Amino acid sequence: MSNKPGNFNPEIHVTDYRKEFEAKRVTRDCLISIDGRKTESLNGKWHFYADPIEYLLRGGWYKESRYDDQGREKPCDYDFEAMEEIKVPATWNTERPELFLYENMGVYFRTFRYKQHEEGERVFLHFEGVAYRAYVFLNGECIAMHDGASTPFSVEVTGKLKDVNRILVGVDAKRQDDRVPMTNTDWFNYGGIYRDVYFVRTPGTFLKDWFLRLVPGSGYSEIALDFSVDGSKSGEALLTIEELGIKEKVRYEDGIGSAVIKAKPELWSPESPKLYDVSLSIDGDELSDKIGFREFKVDGNRILLNGNEVFMKGICVHEDDVYLGKSTNECIIRETIRTVKEELHGVFLRLAHYPHTRLFSKIADEMGVMLWEEIPVYWSIAFGNEKTYKDAENQIGELIKRDKNRASVVIWSVGNENPDTDDRFAFMSNLASYVRSVDPTRAVSAACLVDEVGEKIDDRLADKLDIIGVNEYYGWYNPDFSKLGRVLKNSNPSKPVIITEVGAGARAGNHGPSDMLWTEEFQEALYMKQVKEIGACPFIKGVSPWILYDFRAQRRFNHYQEGFNRKGLIDADKKTKKLAFKVLSDFYKTK
Ligand code: GCU
């Protein structure tokens, strides 16, 4: 019996319609550097409709074939030009009230004109962030499929363009247990093309990627360059750092070049965030950036920045805004960093729980804070699923490709609060090895949980980490605060520990006795007890309390929360400070 009976109608009977697009999957290997490149924006108004049964794919609407093979017009159920407009970049949840809780597919459409500028030029579409899966169609053809809500992807479209081009993007925001993150998260699942979209032209042979950094252990006197060239396979590049008197020619063969160059740069630090104007050029192409040079390393159980021991005075922050959802902007980022540096007296931000916009680390380089960046291997990921591992590895690979020239980024994190199972141990050990293979210049960490039975810090993943992150909520989720003292006394980690989460909920403006949950006084009193214990523990070398701002979460519904996680030191308005803010600020002033 054929599995396609005579009455099989693909439009209504097909079920495995997504399969064909797997062949168009784009990964970190397709990502091109846009550092210093002229880009042409595709931001602005796109047409949009919600497509919960994914007829863009299931019904082949992306082909826009309005006539049968006899040339007779067919009744089509779509008319992309007639769909209502939506802003790009933005999350549809904050743009359309009726889509606030919509977690399925949204379809974006626009046209754009193309005119060749240079003979032999190559053209790429570049998306900075599309949550979660993107199916990209150009003039009726699928050109890309990408997984990962928070990392960029590029796709080459050379030779596929006309004078006027039609682009459709199906954005699937579904939570799925085999995705990264999976269905259960304590943050809001926004959907959409929520970061910039660019059109990028390059010469036929162009600089695809580069990595420039201080050579660890070189006594701050050598910088290393690795770069890749797409197109002609051998030639000569020129690295220019005027302020250091560097004009270094570097050969490349088989598309790869590297060099180690003597240099004594002024070192980057939060106190003195020195950046150099750098350019790398080959015949006809150039990348440029502002790059800082510093050495961040672990020595025994100390954390050193440029050879000086540092206490990582930090705070966590989500990419979440009442009005912008998961989109953000320069003003919000600058105010966040200013608040942390100047008012909280911090030097460190944990960008939870996924890669934030590339703009954050660019501004952090300039303003001077250190960053922990992570991928959302969060809670119970499908650790035994090879596809899930590939997704996680690709997301951290795209993150590292994007931010590896950022001095502010000092820690890559491979996960958060994961159960200590064998599958998880293998999954995250492999991730840690992968991270070190592509970037040996930063620390690898993860936010682990306390062994509550043994009452100690004892996650076997610590063997694979440079810094042990530990989340603990004694005095909140575990009302027995005294347990913290026992856990610290029972623990003897051989590596530095950062308390990567600690805190309590409080509604701004809700006051009462310090033993009453959800009051500012309760949160304040807990912070006083916590900073006392943390400050007195010799192996704790940093803390990033949970969290700077209240943020949307789809499991926080009591009358204090009203759809927000209220552990912020500042209300979701990003202005109203709670009493506990000063406790942490005073503590950091002493460190
Ligand atoms: C966990 C988790 C956070 C969560 C926080 C909380 O530690 O890592 O994502 O928001 O606890 O419960 O508020």
Side-chain angles (χ1 to χ4, degrees), residues 186-187 318 353 378-379 416-417 471 473 477 501 546 551 555-556 565 567:
D186 189 29
W187 67 86
H318 257 302
H353 280 298
Y378 181 88
W379 290 353
N416 179 76
E417 293 197 346
N471 292 357
Y473 283 91
Y477 290 121
E501 288 185 33
W546 192 257
F551 61 95
R555 53 188 276 261
R556 305 291 180 171
N565 183 311
K567 295 188 185 68

Side-chain angles (χ1 to χ4, degrees), residues 277-344:
D277 287 318
V278 183
S279 72
L280 181 68
S281 57
I282 58 172
D283 182 21
D285 194 29
E286 179 173 297
L287 290 176
S288 62
D289 203 343
K290 291 184 176 305
I291 293 180
F293 299 99
R294 53 99 187 98
E295 183 181 274
F296 181 88
K297 63 184 272 192
V298 168
D299 175 20
N301 75 351
R302 300 186 307 151
I303 297 176
L304 305 181
L305 178 68
N306 301 328
N308 305 309
E309 183 166 10
V310 289
F311 185 86
M312 301 295 277
K313 303 183 288 185
I315 189 85
C316 293
V317 65
H318 257 302
E319 194 168 55
D320 183 273
D321 186 77
V322 170
Y323 305 104
L324 300 176
K326 196 171 184 291
S327 297
T328 186
N329 59 41
E330 179 166 350
C331 175
I332 291 175
I333 295 170
R334 286 187 181 280
E335 178 55 15
T336 298
I337 295 174
R338 188 203 61 75
T339 302
V340 171
K341 281 198 81 168
E342 294 177 13
E343 300 189 47
L344 200 58

